[in-house]
Amino acid sequence: MPLDMSHEEFFSLLKKEYPKLQALDGGWLLYKSTGGQGKRKLIMIPPDSDGYTGTLLRSVTGAGKNTLYIVPLQHEFDLTPLPADAVEFQNMPKAQCQTCKLHFPLQILALHVQECLSSEEDIEKVPCPICFESFTPQFLEIHASMCGERDQHVRLDEKTDMGHNDGKAMDRQFERGLLQWQRQKGSSPTATLNVTFFGEAGVDTGALRKEFLTEVVAGIEGRFFEGPQQQRIPRYSLNDLDSDLYRTVGEILAVSLAQGGPAPAFFSPWTYSYLCSGRINQKVLNSDSVADVQLRELIDQVESATEHSIIGLSDEILNCGYTGNVSIPNKDTIVRSIILHAVLRLQPMLEQLREGLQLYGLLSLMSQYPDICQPLFVSGEDVKVNAEFVMTSILPQLSDKGTTRHQVELEMMNFIQDFLYEAEDHGHVDKDGLHYRPSHLQRFCSGSQARVTSHFFPQRRRTLQL
C-alpha cells in the first residue's frame, strides 16, 4: 500500500476486493482488536482530516501485520454465504467436488464435501455394467473408466465349481472377463496373470491361473466357435468383429499356452492352416468346413437335389457367388462355391485372431513350425485325459530306498494308479454319488483339466509331494 494513497483510493480498493461494500451507504469506520486473555475487544481507529490515508493505515497496522475490521455506522452487512461462483472467489484456488462436479474454493470445499456426501445417500444408485456394484450417476462415469483395469490381476465374483455351475452366472462371469481383458490400460497382456477368487483365501502360485484359463478357454470355444466337436470354426458375428473381441480371444489363447493353461485343441484343420499362413488352403476344404447351419443345410439340399428341385435353390446359390448354370451336372461346382462363400466371409474374424496370437511371438512360431504347433490347436487321435496320461505327468519325490517311508509311498502310488484306472473304466463314485474321472484328479492337482502336448511344453510335468 503506497503512503500517498488517498481515502477515496482506499475505499475503491475495498469495494473491488469486497463487492458487498458497493451497496454500503451511511459511512463506515475501521476498528482493530487489542487481544489479551482470550478476549478481543475492538477499538476504533479515528480517521485523519483527509480520512483513512495510506500513511495512517501503515502506522496503525504495523506495516500490514495487524488485522483491521470494517464497521458500518448506519447499516448492517449482508452475512448470507456467498455462492461458489461469486466474484469474491474468482482469484482463489479452486478444486472440483467429486460428487456433484462443481468447483469450490479450497477454503469452503471441506464444508461442502460433508454436506454433499450426506445428500448423496438419498440419490438412487445405478449398477456398474462390468462389476455390478452400485454407484451414484455422477460417479458412475468415473468408475466405469477405471473398472476392469488391471495390472494383470483378475478378480472373480465366485469360484467356479466343476459340474455345478449356474449357466447365467457363468455367462456373465465370462463376458465380464472379456471386458476386463479389453479394458486393461496400465499393463501388457504378456505380464504374469494373477487370479483371485472373491470370498476365498488363496494366493495364486499357478493353480488358480490354470483353473481360470481352463474355464475361459472352454467359454471361448462355446461362445466364439461353432461346428462339430474338435472341428470348431469361428462364428460369423459382425458385432464381435466390430468390438475387436476376436483379437481378445487370440490374446487369451496365447496367454493360456504361454502361462500353463490348456491348449485350444478344437480348431478345424483349414482354420489352423489359415492362422499359420494367412491364406486359405483350398485343398483341405470340404463340406465339413462349413459350420453355418443355413449354408450347411443348403449344401445338403444341393447334394440331394434333382433336376427339377435344384432350380428352386437358384437364388440362394447365386447369393453364394456362383455365376454358372444351376444344373445337376454342375452340382460339385455349386457345392464348392458355397463352401468358399462360407469360408471367405470368416476371413476378417480369422485376421483378428491372428493379431491376438502375435503375443509372445506365437504367430511367428506357428508360421515357422506348423507341424510342431498343430497338436496345440487341432485335436489328434486321443485328446482325453486318461489314467496313463495322468500317471506319466506325475513325478513323485520318493524317500530313500529301503526305508519304511519309501515302501508306504510306493503303496500310495499304486493306490493312485488303481484309482485312476478304475475311474477310467467305470467312473469312481463317492459316497455323495459324484462321478470322478482321471481328468478330475489332474484338475485338483494342477488347476487344468485339459490335456497338454508334453513334448512341446516339457515343463508341464507335475511334481507330486507325497
Side-chain angles (χ1 to χ4, degrees):
M1 181 181 296
L3 295 175
D4 58 350
M5 176 180 288
S6 64
H7 178 85
E8 289 75 15
E9 292 174 342
F10 172 63
F11 189 47
S12 299
L13 181 61
L14 288 178
K15 289 189 293 183
K16 180 180 179 181
E17 294 294 330
Y18 307 103
K20 286 187 176 183
L21 288 176
Q22 296 179 0
L24 181 62
D25 294 328
W28 52 274
L29 292 174
L30 293 179
Y31 283 72
K32 71 175 182 179
S33 61
T34 58
Q37 303 299 324
K39 299 180 181 179
R40 291 189 175 273
K41 183 178 180 181
L42 298 179
I43 60 174
M44 184 187 67
I45 301 175
D48 291 339
S49 57
D50 296 329
Y52 291 108
T53 61
T55 303
L56 175 62
L57 294 175
R58 287 178 65 90
S59 63
V60 298
T61 59
K65 297 179 180 179
N66 298 327
T67 302
L68 298 181
Y69 298 88
I70 304 173
V71 179
L73 296 178
Q74 303 182 46
H75 299 281
E76 293 185 358
F77 283 128
D78 183 9
L79 301 181
T80 304
L82 296 173
D85 56 350
V87 294
E88 287 86 348
F89 300 145
Q90 61 182 0
N91 295 328
M92 294 183 180
K94 300 179 178 63
Q96 186 184 47
C97 174
Q98 296 299 318
T99 303
C100 64
K101 307 304 179 186
L102 297 179
H103 287 79
F104 292 90
L106 298 180
Q107 292 87 336
I108 63 175
L109 180 60
L111 297 176
H112 167 78
V113 168
Q114 298 178 359
E115 298 177 355
C116 200
L117 289 177
S118 60
S119 61
E120 181 187 5
E121 298 177 356
D122 301 331
I123 301 177
E124 183 179 359
K125 296 184 178 181
V126 181
C128 171
I130 299 176
C131 66
F132 305 103
E133 296 184 10
S134 298
F135 299 92
T136 57
Q138 296 87 348
F139 186 70
L140 181 61
E141 182 178 355
I142 299 176
H143 166 77
S145 65
M146 300 180 294
C147 186
E149 292 183 14
R150 64 183 178 95
D151 54 348
Q152 297 302 85
H153 193 88
V154 180
R155 300 181 68 87
L156 303 178
D157 283 333
E158 62 179 45
K159 181 178 179 180
T160 56
D161 187 14
M162 178 176 50
H164 301 281
N165 293 312
D166 180 75
K168 293 182 179 179
M170 284 297 298
D171 293 341
R172 183 171 64 250
Q173 175 178 297
F174 175 70
E175 294 293 338
R176 178 186 171 192
L178 292 178
L179 287 174
Q180 285 180 313
W181 193 284
Q182 281 194 318
R183 295 178 67 87
Q184 60 182 340
K185 299 177 183 179
S187 61
S188 169
T190 58
T192 302
L193 179 66
N194 295 317
V195 178
T196 301
F197 292 107
F198 280 129
E200 179 177 318
V203 178
D204 186 9
T205 58
L208 296 181
R209 177 171 63 249
K210 293 183 180 68
E211 183 175 354
F212 170 75
L213 290 173
T214 299
E215 297 293 342
V216 172
V217 171
I220 286 175
E221 180 182 358
R223 167 72 168 77
F224 294 96
F225 293 84
E226 58 184 356
Q229 290 291 335
Q230 313 305 332
Q231 296 287 329
R232 296 291 193 179
I233 299 170
R235 179 177 283 110
Y236 181 78
S237 175
L238 289 179
N239 290 334
D240 294 339
L241 180 68
D242 295 338
S243 300
D244 216 20
L245 286 177
Y246 282 99
R247 181 184 60 81
T248 303
V249 168
E251 291 180 352
I252 295 176
L253 296 182
V255 170
S256 180
L257 288 172
Q259 300 193 26
F266 51 77
F267 283 82
S268 64
W270 80 264
T271 304
Y272 173 73
S273 176
Y274 184 90
L275 293 177
C276 293
S277 62
R279 298 186 301 272
I280 296 177
N281 186 3
Q282 299 186 27
K283 297 180 180 179
V284 298
L285 295 181
N286 51 42
S287 58
D288 294 333
S289 303
V290 180
D292 185 83
V293 177
Q294 295 180 350
L295 295 177
R296 182 73 184 181
E297 182 180 356
L298 179 60
I299 292 176
D300 295 338
Q301 292 177 351
V302 171
E303 290 178 343
S304 62
T306 62
E307 191 69 37
H308 176 71
S309 62
I310 197 172
I311 302 300
L313 303 174
S314 298
D315 292 340
E316 298 180 22
I317 294 174
L318 294 177
N319 290 334
C320 294
Y322 179 73
T323 58
N325 185 23
V326 180
S327 59
I328 294 297
N330 297 329
K331 183 183 297 184
D332 293 339
T333 306
I334 294 174
V335 171
R336 180 170 173 269
S337 67
I338 298 174
I339 294 175
L340 283 177
H341 170 72
V343 170
L344 288 174
R345 71 174 191 164
L346 297 177
Q347 200 166 4
M349 293 75 178
L350 292 171
E351 285 298 326
Q352 273 197 7
L353 273 174
R354 284 171 55 86
E355 293 177 8
L357 291 173
Q358 292 178 0
L359 283 183
Y360 302 101
L362 178 60
L363 188 62
S364 62
L365 285 176
M366 295 168 58
S367 302
Q368 295 177 18
Y369 310 103
D371 295 336
I372 297 178
C373 297
Q374 183 170 350
L376 299 174
F377 294 88
V378 181
S379 62
E381 68 284 354
D382 184 12
V383 296
K384 294 182 179 179
V385 176
N386 53 26
E388 182 179 359
F389 177 79
V390 175
M391 289 302 300
T392 56
S393 300
I394 296 176
L395 184 62
Q397 294 181 353
L398 302 177
S399 302
D400 296 336
K401 291 184 178 181
T403 61
T404 305
R405 292 178 59 87
H406 180 78
Q407 183 64 31
V408 174
E409 291 164 354
L410 288 179
E411 294 178 359
M412 185 181 297
M413 288 300 301
N414 293 333
F415 175 81
I416 294 176
Q417 187 177 31
D418 295 339
F419 169 81
L420 290 173
Y421 280 106
E422 178 185 351
E424 180 179 355
D425 295 337
H426 308 290
H428 181 79
V429 182
D430 67 359
K431 61 181 181 179
D432 297 326
L434 298 178
H435 292 259
Y436 290 100
R437 299 289 181 183
S439 59
H440 295 164
L441 177 62
Q442 175 175 299
R443 178 170 181 169
F444 173 78
C445 295
S446 66
S448 175
Q449 189 172 330
R451 182 168 183 168
V452 182
T453 307
S454 58
H455 73 272
F456 196 83
F457 291 109
Q459 69 274 19
R460 295 293 170 80
R461 290 173 62 87
R462 297 295 109 198
T463 300
L464 182 62
Q465 181 70 43
L466 297 178

